């Protein structure tokens, strides 16, 4: 079903013969996980293993973009923001838990990002950070729910600074992302997805929210039998990553991303079934993601352009402006279309 959904979208939208400058080397990756067990139920690793070097379901170096922001929200709900009058290292009693509908942040384009104490953040070269929003959109103070629905970058970048990048990084790791895939820097843009996890791990991490905050490690082998005897059986126990309330709040916000008419994930809406999810795009339009879930399945889809032929001398991610005949490839376009097609078929007959 997953492979069929990718092929359907590719056939309908990707035409290298007609648009050689924009539609060549388009790659997709996909993975689907059962939130209740961690079982990997579907993967899409690419068109042809004989022609392509990488497995697109595994780590490919593709940044996840703003699909990372649910982990920032989860950290803000679990760990809270720091007291601007306190020291950099603060315990729970010194922090304040945010409310996605009451805590407001500036959504201005090119917002000057500050440290948690209100001082301007500066790089080692003394340069300040001005955070741009997708398309140059600018908002006054907005709630975190509104920022998530519209995929506004600046509020989550500042929120990440208020929480502390190491704390956000730990929340993402607790959800299920591998430490090795997480950006080790502490630049403000960490909170909007400079890390490059695999689609398997993104599906797994979102599945933690679907499973009421319980994280199951992903697995692909249930048991191994030989000559009628079971030689191996998968056994595991979940780890508590977030409280049930935190997970439920994240899910509620991500449902708004899909349900709201102006939500960036509205293209992923499933007929007669609630779903939660988030789009992801990156600087230079080098990648587009959609990651979403229902109680039964968590699925991640990514899209990027990379010449993976064995004869390619240099491999670099290419921009996707004009790819598929669109002005800009977004997580709310082809990745969400593939996600919706796959999930509609995969969940058919299951309880709503």
């Amino acid at each position: 079903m997953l492979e069929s959904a990718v092929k359907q979208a590719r056939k309908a939208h990707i035409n290298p013969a007609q648009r050689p400058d924009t539609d060549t080397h388009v790659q997709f990756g996909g993975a689907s996980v059962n939130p209740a067990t961690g079982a990997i139920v579907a993967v899409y690793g690419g068109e042809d293993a004989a022609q392509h070097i990488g497995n697109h379901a595994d780590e490919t170096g593709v940044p996840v973009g703003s699909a990372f922001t649910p982990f920032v929200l989860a950290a803000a709900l679990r760990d809270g923001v720091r007291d601007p009058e306190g020291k950099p290292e603060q315990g729970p009693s010194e922090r304040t838990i945010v409310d996605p509908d009451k805590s407001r942040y500036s959504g201005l384009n090119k917002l000057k990002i500050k440290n948690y104490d209100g001082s301007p953040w500066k790089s080692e070269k003394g340069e300040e950070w001005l955070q741009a929003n997708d398309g140059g959109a600018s908002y006054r103070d907005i709630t975190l729910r509104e920022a998530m629905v519209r995929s506004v970058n600046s509020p989550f970048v500042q929120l990440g600074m208020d929480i502390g990048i190491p704390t956000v990084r730990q929340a993402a790791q607790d959800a299920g992302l591998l430490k090795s895939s997480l950006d080790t820097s502490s630049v403000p843009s960490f909170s909007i997805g400079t890390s490059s996890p695999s689609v398997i791990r993104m599906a797994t991490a979102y599945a933690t929210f679907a499973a009421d905050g319980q994280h199951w490690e992903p697995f692909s082998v249930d048991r191994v039998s030989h000559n009628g005897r079971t030689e191996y059986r998968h056994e595991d126990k979940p780890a508590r990553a977030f409280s049930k309330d935190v997970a439920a709040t994240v899910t509620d916000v991500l449902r708004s991303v899909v349900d709201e008419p102006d939500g960036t994930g509205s293209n992923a809406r499933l007929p007669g079934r609630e779903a939660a999810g988030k789009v992801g795009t990156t600087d230079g339009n080098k990648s587009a993601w959609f990651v979403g879930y229902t109680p039964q399945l968590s699925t991640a889809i990514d899209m990027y352009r990379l010449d993976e032929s064995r004869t390619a001398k240099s491999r670099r991610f290419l921009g996707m402006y004009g790819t598929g005949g669109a002005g800009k490839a977004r997580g709310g376009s082809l990745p969400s279309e593939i996600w919706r097609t796959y999930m509609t078929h995969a969940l058919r007959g299951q309880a709503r």
Side-chain angles (χ1 to χ4, degrees), residues 316-329:
R316 59 187 179 86
F317 293 109
L318 306 170
M320 293 189 291
Y321 295 101
T323 297
K328 181 177 182 179

Side-chain angles (χ1 to χ4, degrees), residues 7 18 22-23 39 59 61 81 92 112 120 145 189 193-194 199 204 208 244 247 266 290 295 303 312 319 324 326 339:
K7 286 183 175 179
Q18 183 178 343
T22 60
D23 285 19
E59 289 183 33
V81 297
K112 182 184 292 187
R145 183 186 297 273
S189 57
T194 55
V199 288
T204 297
T208 298
K244 188 173 182 179
S266 60
F290 187 81
M303 171 185 175
W339 186 93

Side-chain angles (χ1 to χ4, degrees), residues 4 12 30 44 50 72 113 116 128 133 138 148 160 174 185-186 217 225 233 238 257 280 288 297 299 306 312 315 349:
S4 175
Y44 179 81
V72 185
I113 300 302
Y116 81 98
E128 296 183 337
N133 290 326
S138 195
M148 190 74 78
D174 291 344
S185 71
S186 293
E217 275 291 289
S225 299
R233 184 179 296 277
V257 174
L297 281 180
T299 302
L306 179 69
R315 295 179 178 86

Side-chain angles (χ1 to χ4, degrees), residues 22 27 74 77 83 95 108 123 134-135 138 162 167 173 257 326-327 339:
T22 60
Q27 314 291 349
L77 293 168
D83 180 354
R95 291 172 173 264
L108 291 177
S123 68
D134 188 30
S138 195
D162 293 347
T167 303
Q173 193 174 333
V257 174
W339 186 93

Side-chain angles (χ1 to χ4, degrees), residues 183-249:
D183 186 353
T184 58
S185 71
S186 293
V187 295
S189 57
F190 175 85
S191 292
I192 51 171
T194 55
S195 299
S196 52
S198 69
V199 288
I200 290 176
R201 282 290 168 170
M202 282 298 287
T204 297
Y206 273 49
T208 298
F209 301 131
D212 295 329
Q214 296 267 56
H215 166 61
W216 290 87
E217 275 291 289
F219 70 97
S220 57
V221 178
D222 181 64
R223 64 188 176 95
V224 177
S225 299
H226 179 64
N227 290 337
R229 185 175 68 181
T230 298
E231 301 288 352
Y232 167 84
R233 184 179 296 277
H234 175 80
E235 295 181 358
D236 196 13
K237 293 181 179 180
R240 172 60 67 183
F242 308 101
S243 70
K244 188 173 182 179
D245 286 344
V246 166
T249 301

Side-chain angles (χ1 to χ4, degrees), residues 149 256-264 266 269:
V149 168
S256 295
V257 174
V258 176
D259 290 342
E260 293 292 328
D262 60 346
T264 50
S266 60
R269 198 172 299 145

Side-chain angles (χ1 to χ4, degrees), residues 269-275 350-352:
R269 198 172 299 145
L270 299 174
R273 189 184 296 272
E274 284 193 329
Q350 296 196 33
R352 296 183 183 274

Side-chain angles (χ1 to χ4, degrees), residues 9-29:
R10 183 181 287 277
K11 182 178 180 180
H13 300 285
I14 306 302
N15 191 333
Q18 183 178 343
R19 293 182 293 270
D21 293 336
T22 60
D23 285 19
T24 55
H25 311 309
V26 174
Q27 314 291 349
F28 294 96

